[in-house]
Structure formats: structure tokens, C-alpha cells
Amino acid sequence: MEEFSGHPRSPERHPPVGPSRERRASPLDLRSAAGQVFLLQVVVVVLLVVAAAVGMVLQAASDALQQGRRESVVAAQSFANAPGVAAALRSRDPTAVLQPRAEAARKRAGVDFVVVMSTKGIRYTYPYTGEIGKKFVGTIAPALKGRTVVEQAGGPPLPAGRGTAVQAVVPVTDAHGKVVGLVSAGITVKDVAGLWMPQLPIILGSGAAALALAVTGTTLVSRRLRRQTHGMAPEELAQLYEHHDAVLHAVREGVLITSADGRLMLANDEATQLLGLPADARGRPVRELGLPEPVMCLLTSPETVTDEVYLAGHRLLAVNKRPTYPQADRGGSVVTLRDTTELAAVTGRAEVARERLKLLYEAGVGIGTTLDVERTAQELADVAVPQFADLVTVDLLEAVLRGWEPTAEGWRHLRRAAIGGDRRMIPVYPLGEVITFARRTPQMRALQERRVVLEADLRQAPGWREQDPERADKALECGLRSLAAVPLRARNVPLGVANFYRTVDSPSFEPDDLTFAEELAARAAVAIDNARRFTREHAMAVTLQRSLLPRRQPEQDALEVAWRYLPAEAGVGGDWFDVIPLPGARVALVMGDVVGHGLHAAATMGRLRTAVHNFSTLDLPVDEVLGNLDDLVVRMDNEEDTGDATEGHEGEGVTGATCLYAVYDPVAEACTLARAGHPEPVVVRPDGTVTSPGVPTSAPLGLGGYPFETVELSLPEGSQLVLYTNGLVEDRTHDMDVGMDRLRRALDGSGGRTPEETCQTVIDALKPSHYSDDIALLTARTRKFPPSRVAEWDVPPDPALVPAVRARCRETLLEWGLEETGFATELIVSELVTNAIRYGSPPVGVRLLRGRCLICEVSDGSGTSPRLRRAATTDEGGRGLFLVAQFAQRWGTRYTTHGKVIWAEQILHGDTPAASGLAPVDFLLDQFDLDQFEDPGL
């Protein structure tokens, strides 16, 4: 019988002579590769069957335990929450009531036991009555705290016999939530073989099927290998490889084969010689062979290459590259190299192309290394000299240097941005000079016509000569010969002109040179435009941030302040600070940092600074200011997460913002501080000692719900409080601990320095050469409010004593030489004291502070705040605060831990009160009858 395979017969071939054709080994012969693979498959199948059986047994046991735990918990909780259980536990004989119910519940729930016990663990119920009254075996401590306990434990015998006992213990609580007893229910988990034995035939059957499939697969693979090798023996395959290897190394064309992961799999002798490959190159990654950058990129990239020229040392190689498996996605490629250096030497053009290629490569690497417009222009001039031109000048529009969008109106005014070459030999316009080009000059023609303008002989270029005849004659005398003016354009926007000059010692520009000049200028124009746009964005961000930071120091008596702010080189961040005068001659110092850079961080910083001003106006405690600021940041983050937010905008919320808030009181010489994730401040004592005040750190702003701890420091007069952001002490080269040590060393011995000197010393010592983050530094030296300018006394809660208070106030003003402000001050003190006595609560106190302004403070123990209102003509009161508001420059309320303080300020100029128009007061006195005022001080 004949057997047909279903495929047409191949042409008849003479089989190779050898023992491999005399007999064909069986596919399952263990000496063959197929037989060894089959044996490995048998071992794998057996291991999988065993692993499946073991896993099934373990899973069945685990499932049984989990089921027991669930049933125990349900049974225990059901009985514990049943009506009457709590009451039965409080009865005289809990066992008599609960034992029948427990047994009934046990049988109904299908568990092995339901045990009710006291809070001390004494059993009230058990399936065997002999165990009642004994100590429960298990853990009950967590259940006494209201939690459920599930555990495996042993105990007395059970009706179900021996096995793994799983029990749950739950509390029994009364109507008030008090634990009055415990309930435990359990089940005995027995042999689980019944769960997995029915599935064992399935596993064994699957293993048998897998073995049968392995036999079939091995047979098919063995037959396919014989077909693919045409029945050739290993010796024949080795002989065929030797023939191919001999041909490969004999050809005069380099051949390289790389794998999909970028390793060199094969290189013939010619490729090794052309590229200078090491002897052990085979099998190594291409990037480790030290090849030129273009060749390395060629070998590692997946693109197909056809007849492209690459520079390798002093050779120009014609390269072709194709994938090794074009019909399958297996990766790898074959590259052929042909040395064309000799051909280039014959024609002379390949050498020029090599030089141009090299120059373009250098331009791509050397132009645009920074985002500085003038630096990028200078890089263009440096690259082109002397390989392409003897002298290069770059003239840019004024708007480009400023970062603005250039317009056609400013084309005639260009600024010299870069000069390349020996400028001493040839007179040219100096750097930075604004040049107004005439319309016929090559530069203006290049800008207007958007093309390269070639002046092969400058002696015959009237437009170039008429720009500056005297300078032109001197340049020609120095040997200047030809000019190629190339417009610099990017995104169809003119940026300026690049001028390439050659002298008489070099050949004049040719048409081929113009194409190269355009390519060189195009690459430079893109880099210059990127730098221009960065300059614009950076200038906008810096302008925004500086406008949001303090412009000048506020007038106050408590601190002598100095600051420094240095924006990051690559872009501004969210660092900010502030000095805010507060009532009572106090001053608030703020230092904050918003994570991120750019306009978003700067705008967020402005919002936070404004919010701090508002919270300070309310005169809130330090921790409450940070708490309100934290709530604001949370709301700002929520706004960022809404669907109305612009997609792709800079910044993704402000979570991570930090802040330090401090309030200094010059009267008490005390400073209260709190910080939200911000670096700790540093204190320099008057003797020059540098200390860390130990301000507790709290969570950064935006996390929400975390308290802010405060600390109160005693700062003698002359102490310096130094606040800063992490940009001052953190750097890529070192961590914050190293920066803090450097800061302390810089501040050591600064007790006698002014804040300005301290700031400059710290900046000089810690400012890095290149800083990627903003640096903010604030130094404040404390002042003490002189005791001679402070007057305070207690006031008994009696309205009849208000005249005495007014008289004492008058005496104090006479001592200070402020008798001219006596009437207004007495009126203010009288009204505020009367209100404190009538509507507040003891103790009542009065304090006068004489500084830049005269401050009147009246304190009482009440937390209610008065409010300004317009009284009707029939009202007997309500006009006192209105008069206070008229005579005082400003007034307000601040709350303390013991009550509140009503304060009023009067501006003083030369120790006399500021002139205030009395017309509003006269008008009010005409409106209101003073006899209606009930204040005994009036």
C-alpha cells in the first residue's frame, strides 16, 4: 500500500552518502534531541499532576477551615444577639436559662458547640454538662473589648469527636453597649478527602492526555526538522556551514549581523577591518564596541538603510541595512559596508561631503546646548569657523533677544549677538551694538526675500559698501572677500541674519555652499527660537513672581528685616516670604514654598500670600492661620481635580506646599512659631551662638485634617531669626543635613552683623554655581519695645472709675509729650473701657504703646466682639465705637486665650498726632445729642 502526504513531490535529488541515510532513528529514541525533549515533557507532566493533586488537597483543607470559621462566627453572633441572652446572663442561674437554648441553637446551626460564658471565662453552657462551670479554653481578651475572635484551639471532648477545632468568640452587650458576657461557637473540621477525591480522576486523565499530546507533538516536530534539513546529517550541516563561512570572509564587503537586543552576532573580516572591531566583539552589545556615534546609531536602530554614507574614522562607508527575517517579526538586521574612501579621493567630492557631514554633526551637538539666545548664536559662530567660513557674525532682531515675538516693523534694527573668528584682523561692528541696515544691504535682502544672498566679490557689492563705506574699505584691505547672508527663520518667523565671510586666503562661496549654509542656519534658528521662547516664558514667570513678593519693607517697630530672593536658572518656583505688621506692635514673618516650577507655581504662591495677609488681618493664632491655609490648599487641589480644569495645563495641584508662620511680640520679647513641612528656622543669639529652636514639624499644606503644633521662643533684643527655603540648603550634590551644617557655619559669629550683612554672608557661602530651585532667605533682628513707652494698668469693673482711667491716660500722655492727642485718646479709652465694663467680663485692663503710632488697647475676659453700627436718634447708646472709628486711624479686635483685646491706633508724625479732619466728627455731633450718651467718662 502506498502512503500519500498530500504535498507534491520535490525534484528528485541524490541523497548524500553516509550512515545517516542508512537508517532513521525513532522519534522517541532518547539519544536523539526529539527523544530527550519527549522525556523532559514526561517529567514536566508528572510534576504538574503531583502539584495539582497537592494543591487540591491543600485548597480543600483551607476551604474547610474557612467554612468552619464562617459558620462559627455566624452561629456565635446570632446567639449573642438573640433576645434575652443579655438578660439571662444577669439572672441568678444563667445555666438553667441558656443551656437548653444553646443546645437548640447548636443543633439548628449545625455547629459542634455553643458555649455561653461570663466575662471571666466561666462556662454557663456546654454540650456535656460536666464541663459547665469550668474555665473556657481560648482567647477572650479581645472579645471583652468588643471585638470578635476566631481561632483554632483544643478543649474538652465534643459530640463530633476529634479534629481541627475552629471556634469564634463574640461579646454579648447590654442596651448601654457594655459587655456582660461572651458566646463561643465552634465546629470540628474532619477529613477533607471527600472534597478532593472526586476530582482526582480528572487530574489523572488530564495528565494522560498531556502525555499523549507530547508523544504526538514530538513525532510531528521530528518529522518537520527532517523536512527542513532535507534529511541532512549533522556532519553535512557542519560542512555546509564551513562553505558559507569561507565565502563570507572572502568577499571585499563588510557584513555584520545584529540581534534584536542590539548585540553583534556576526562580523566578517572586512567589517572587522573597516570598523576596527576588537577580537572579542562577537556577542557583545554594539554600544560597548567603541564605534563612532553615527555607526552605533545605525546598528541599533530598526530603520532600513539604502546606500547611505557614514563616517567611520577617516573612512566613508556606503551602508545598506535590511532585516534578517523580513517575513517574520523576529528582530535583528544584516548590514553591509562598502569602503568608498578611494572613490571620494578620486572625485574630490566625497571629502567635501565628509567635512560637511562632520560639520553638520558638530552643529547638531554644539548648537543649542543652553536656552540662552546669545549663547546659542555664539555657538553657531564657533561651529562655522574655520571649517566653513573665516569670519561669522550673527545679528538678531531686538525682539528676539528680549524673548518677544518679532515683527516686520523692527527688521532694520538688529543687534550684534555673536562674532566668530579673528575680529581683530577684520573691523566689524562690536558685540551688543544695534545696527540699522540699509534696504540694499545683503542682510535686509536676505530677511525680506527669505533666501540666501551671496556676494561672491564684496568689491562689487554696492549695497554692502553703502552701509558703512569707511568700515567696508578697511575690511577689504584686511582681505575680506565674499559674503553669504543667510536668514534665520523658525516656524516661518524671522529671527535675524547669519553672515558667513571668507577672506582672500579661502575660495569664494559656491552654490553648493549655499545649501549647506541654509541647513546650518536652519538648525541654529530652531535652537535660537527655543531659547527665545524660553526667555519669554522665564521673564514672564519672574516678573509675575517678583510682583507677588514684597516690594519694600513695611513700617514697624519690632524687627529689623532684610531678605534675598534668587529665582532658579531654569524657571521660577513657588518660594515666597512676607513681613506683616500686626496690632499691638507685633510683626508676623512668613516663609513658604509651593512644589513645582513655572507660572502655575508662581500664581499659586500669590494666592497663598494673599490668603496669609487676610488671615493675619483677622489676627488669628499661629496654628489657626496654618489650619485655614491648609483648608485653602485642599480646596485649590479640589478645583484642579474638577472636570472644568484645562487639560494639559502646567501643574497638577499644590499638595506639598510648605509654610512657616511666626509672630514676634516686642513687648514680651517672645516669638510664636509653627511650620507645615517647612525647614526649621535658625536663631542667632546676640552673642553669636547659632541654635535650632526645635519647632515641631507638621504635615505639609494640602493633606487636610492634621494639627499644627506651635512653640513659643524667648528672643532677647538683638537676636536674629533666619528663615529660608530648601533651595538654600538642598542641592543635587548633597542632602539637607550637609546644607544645614554649612548654614550654621556661615551664621556662626553673626551676632554683631546687621540683617543685610547676614543675608549677604549666607548667600555668598551657600549660593551654588548653578541652582535648579528658587532660594528665599529672610533675616530678622529683634528689637525690644522700651518699657518707658509702655503704660498698662488694671481697671476694676465699676463704671464710676472710668474718669480715673481717663485721668491716668491724660497723665501718661503728658509724660510722653503727646498732650495734643489727649482729647482723642481719652475719648477712645473712655469708650472702650466703658464697653468692656458694661458688656465684657473681668478682668479689664488698659495698655498704651507709643511707637510709630499711639496704640490704645483695652482687654477683658469676654469672647464677644463689639461691632460698629449706626444708632437711631432715639437710641441711648451705640455711638461710642462710631466715634472711636472717627478719631482712630484704624481699630479692631484680637482674641487671646483669656478673652479679647480691642485696639485702636493713632498715627503720629514728629511725636504729634496726624492731622485729622474734624468735619466728620462735627457733623456727627450735630446729628446726635451728646446728652443721650450714657458713658460716665463723657
Side-chain angles (χ1 to χ4, degrees):
M1 178 180 295
E2 291 184 352
E3 179 179 355
F4 297 91
S5 62
H7 299 282
R9 290 173 177 243
S10 60
E12 186 176 356
R13 295 174 300 171
H14 296 285
V17 179
S20 61
R21 285 301 185 107
E22 294 180 357
R23 70 178 179 86
R24 293 184 177 181
S26 171
L28 302 183
D29 187 358
L30 296 181
R31 290 175 296 178
S32 64
Q36 294 173 0
V37 171
F38 172 72
L39 179 61
L40 178 62
Q41 291 176 339
V42 171
V43 173
V44 171
V45 170
V46 172
L47 291 177
L48 290 177
V49 170
V50 173
V54 173
M56 186 176 299
V57 172
L58 296 178
Q59 183 63 37
S62 176
D63 292 343
L65 288 176
Q66 292 296 329
Q67 182 178 359
R69 293 165 69 94
R70 289 193 299 269
E71 293 178 359
S72 300
V73 171
V74 171
Q77 290 181 345
S78 300
F79 191 87
N81 296 326
V85 174
L89 287 170
R90 296 179 178 275
S91 62
R92 291 179 175 273
D93 190 359
T95 300
V97 179
L98 296 176
Q99 175 67 10
R101 296 176 60 180
E103 286 300 299
R106 177 180 67 83
K107 297 176 181 179
R108 184 167 56 254
V111 296
D112 294 331
F113 66 89
V114 175
V115 177
V116 183
M117 68 195 83
S118 66
T119 56
K120 296 182 179 180
I122 305 302
R123 299 191 191 99
Y124 291 146
T125 66
Y126 198 80
Y128 297 126
T129 56
E131 300 296 330
I132 295 175
K134 296 181 179 180
K135 188 74 173 181
F136 175 73
V137 180
T139 303
I140 64 173
L144 294 174
K145 298 180 180 180
R147 297 196 298 268
T148 299
V149 182
V150 181
E151 61 180 354
Q152 299 181 28
L158 294 170
R162 296 185 178 273
T164 302
V166 179
Q167 64 185 14
V169 181
V170 299
V172 179
T173 58
D174 57 10
H176 300 288
K178 181 179 178 182
V179 178
V180 299
L182 305 174
V183 174
S184 175
I187 189 170
T188 302
V189 180
K190 299 183 179 179
D191 187 18
V192 296
L195 298 177
W196 60 270
M197 283 297 292
Q199 301 184 23
L200 184 61
I202 299 176
I203 298 176
L204 297 178
S206 300
L211 288 176
L213 184 61
V215 173
T216 304
T218 303
T219 304
L220 294 177
V221 169
S222 177
R223 291 179 180 177
R224 182 175 181 181
L225 288 175
R226 286 201 299 268
R227 287 197 304 269
Q228 291 181 344
T229 59
H230 304 289
M232 297 177 64
E235 295 81 4
E236 297 170 337
L237 291 174
Q239 186 179 15
L240 181 63
Y241 173 79
E242 292 174 356
H243 292 165
H244 283 282
D245 189 69
V247 173
L248 179 67
H249 292 285
V251 297
R252 290 295 306 276
E253 187 166 346
V255 179
L256 299 99
I257 298 179
T258 60
S259 63
D261 59 351
R263 294 182 178 273
L264 182 64
M265 306 304 297
L266 183 144
N268 66 350
D269 295 340
E270 184 71 11
T272 302
Q273 180 182 359
L274 292 177
L275 298 178
L277 297 176
D280 60 343
R282 186 172 181 178
R284 293 172 55 185
V286 174
R287 297 186 180 275
E288 298 179 1
L289 300 180
L291 297 176
E293 184 69 18
V295 177
M296 185 186 66
C297 295
L298 165 71
L299 296 179
T300 56
S301 65
E303 289 82 10
T304 300
V305 175
T306 302
D307 292 333
E308 290 190 7
V309 179
Y310 284 80
L311 178 63
H314 298 288
R315 299 177 182 271
L316 286 175
L317 304 179
V319 180
N320 289 276
K321 181 180 179 182
R322 296 291 184 273
T324 54
Y325 302 98
Q327 304 299 330
D329 186 16
R330 299 173 60 180
S333 59
V334 57
V335 179
T336 61
L337 310 172
R338 185 172 66 257
D339 188 4
T340 62
T341 307
E342 297 178 358
L343 180 61
V346 173
T347 61
R349 302 182 65 86
E351 181 66 21
V352 176
R354 183 183 71 82
E355 294 294 336
R356 298 289 168 79
L357 190 64
K358 179 181 178 181
L359 186 56
L360 283 178
Y361 172 74
E362 292 177 356
V365 175
I367 298 177
T369 58
T370 65
L371 290 173
D372 182 81
V373 175
E374 296 184 5
R375 178 58 185 165
T376 305
Q378 187 62 49
E379 290 171 348
L380 168 61
D382 294 340
V383 165
V385 176
Q387 293 93 335
F388 181 68
D390 299 313
L391 177 67
V392 177
T393 61
V394 180
D395 303 323
L396 299 178
L397 298 175
E398 188 73 18
V400 175
L401 293 170
R402 296 177 180 270
W404 303 341
E405 194 77 14
T407 60
E409 290 77 7
W411 282 9
R412 293 188 60 189
H413 305 288
L414 288 88
R415 185 180 294 274
R416 180 61 47 89
I419 301 177
D422 193 350
R423 69 187 74 178
R424 294 171 296 179
M425 293 181 57
I426 302 174
V428 293
Y429 289 106
L431 283 174
E433 183 169 342
V434 177
I435 308 171
T436 303
F437 286 103
R439 294 187 179 277
R440 296 178 56 191
T441 57
Q443 290 82 359
M444 285 303 299
R445 290 168 55 197
L447 276 176
Q448 293 174 351
E449 299 174 12
R450 302 181 181 180
R451 65 177 181 86
V452 181
V453 175
L454 173 62
E455 294 290 353
D457 189 353
L458 291 176
R459 294 172 296 179
Q460 307 299 325
W464 176 77
R465 293 175 60 88
E466 75 178 15
Q467 172 66 29
D468 191 339
E470 182 180 355
R471 191 185 299 271
D473 293 339
K474 291 182 179 180
L476 292 175
E477 292 176 1
C478 294
L480 209 59
R481 181 175 183 176
S482 59
L483 163 66
V486 186
L488 297 173
R489 300 180 63 85
R491 299 183 299 109
N492 203 28
V493 174
L495 304 174
V497 180
N499 306 300
F500 300 94
Y501 293 95
R502 285 184 180 177
T503 63
V504 293
D505 298 329
S506 303
S508 300
F509 287 109
E510 299 178 356
D512 291 343
D513 295 325
L514 304 184
T515 303
F516 176 78
E518 286 182 328
E519 177 66 22
L520 190 62
R523 297 193 179 195
V526 173
I528 290 175
D529 187 60
N530 290 338
R532 177 192 67 82
R533 299 172 70 181
F534 171 79
T535 300
R536 179 187 62 187
E537 298 295 334
H538 183 70
M540 291 173 56
V542 170
T543 302
L544 172 62
Q545 187 171 40
R546 289 194 181 278
S547 66
L548 296 175
L549 291 175
R551 300 289 186 88
R552 59 183 180 84
Q553 295 190 14
E555 295 184 355
Q556 44 85 24
D557 299 315
L559 298 170
E560 181 183 355
V561 182
W563 60 67
R564 294 289 188 275
Y565 170 72
L566 302 177
E569 292 181 348
V572 299
D575 293 13
W576 58 283
F577 58 89
D578 215 336
V579 180
I580 307 172
L582 299 178
R586 298 170 301 133
V587 176
L589 299 177
V590 192
M591 180 69 70
D593 187 2
V594 177
V595 175
H597 292 83
L599 292 176
H600 179 75
T604 302
M605 174 269 290
R607 297 176 65 181
L608 295 183
R609 179 171 178 250
T610 302
V612 170
H613 266 275
N614 294 333
F615 297 147
S616 300
T617 302
L618 299 176
D619 210 348
L620 299 176
V622 171
D623 55 341
E624 291 188 21
V625 171
L626 291 182
N628 291 329
L629 203 61
D630 182 55
D631 295 338
L632 174 63
V633 173
V634 171
R635 290 196 298 272
M636 293 167 65
D637 279 336
N638 293 335
E639 292 174 2
E640 295 287 343
D641 295 336
T642 59
D644 297 335
T646 304
E647 295 183 0
H649 71 288
E650 182 183 12
E652 297 296 337
V654 293
T655 300
T658 65
C659 183
L660 187 147
Y661 187 76
V663 175
Y664 175 70
D665 187 350
V667 178
E669 294 185 284
C671 183
T672 305
L673 305 92
R675 59 188 179 115
H678 201 80
E680 187 177 17
V682 177
V683 175
V684 182
R685 298 293 177 180
D687 59 357
T689 305
V690 180
T691 61
S692 296
V695 182
T697 181
S698 301
L701 301 176
L703 299 183
Y706 291 92
F708 298 97
E709 299 183 46
T710 62
V711 65
E712 183 171 329
L713 305 177
S714 177
L715 298 180
E717 185 175 13
S719 301
Q720 294 192 43
L721 185 63
V722 181
L723 312 181
Y724 54 92
T725 56
N726 58 355
L728 182 67
V729 295
E730 276 188 333
D731 194 276
R732 295 179 180 178
T733 59
H734 60 262
D735 56 14
M736 180 173 282
D737 293 337
V738 176
M740 289 297 299
D741 291 338
R742 295 176 56 193
L743 176 61
R744 294 188 184 97
R745 289 196 299 268
L747 292 173
D748 192 17
S750 298
R753 296 174 183 162
T754 65
E756 280 289 340
E757 294 173 343
T758 301
C759 282
Q760 194 59 46
T761 300
V762 171
I763 292 298
D764 293 341
L766 275 72
K767 176 186 174 182
S769 57
H770 299 284
Y771 40 95
S772 58
D773 195 5
D774 290 11
I775 295 176
L777 174 65
L778 176 65
T779 302
R781 184 163 65 180
T782 61
R783 297 170 178 163
K784 181 180 179 181
F785 214 90
S788 60
R789 292 174 175 255
V790 179
E792 57 182 337
W793 58 89
D794 297 329
V795 179
D798 185 0
L801 298 178
V802 173
V805 174
R806 190 165 58 248
R808 188 167 182 178
C809 175
R810 187 184 310 114
E811 295 174 358
T812 302
L813 295 179
L814 289 175
E815 293 178 3
W816 289 346
L818 301 178
E819 57 272 7
E820 294 185 9
T821 191
F823 174 77
T825 306
E826 290 180 43
L827 175 63
I828 292 172
V829 171
S830 178
E831 288 296 335
L832 295 182
V833 170
T834 301
N835 285 336
I837 294 175
R838 285 186 173 182
Y839 307 109
S841 58
V844 178
V846 177
R847 186 171 73 167
L848 299 180
L849 303 175
R850 178 193 172 192
R852 295 176 183 269
C853 59
L854 180 61
I855 304 173
C856 303
E857 295 182 346
V858 176
S859 62
D860 67 85
S862 172
T864 59
S865 175
R867 60 186 180 88
L868 186 65
R869 65 186 182 89
R870 185 181 181 89
T873 56
T874 58
D875 291 340
E876 294 184 355
R879 301 172 181 83
L881 286 180
F882 200 90
L883 292 176
V884 170
Q886 292 299 318
F887 280 97
Q889 179 69 20
R890 60 179 186 146
W891 71 280
T893 305
R894 74 171 185 268
Y895 294 95
T896 65
T897 56
H898 304 292
K900 67 175 182 300
V901 175
I902 311 297
W903 54 269
E905 294 182 356
Q906 300 176 76
I907 302 298
L908 301 178
H909 293 294
D911 288 344
T912 59
S916 58
L918 297 179
V921 179
D922 296 338
F923 175 77
L924 289 173
L925 295 179
D926 293 339
Q927 295 288 327
F928 305 128
D929 183 6
L930 289 179
D931 293 338
Q932 296 177 355
F933 285 75
E934 295 298 328
D935 190 339
L938 292 180

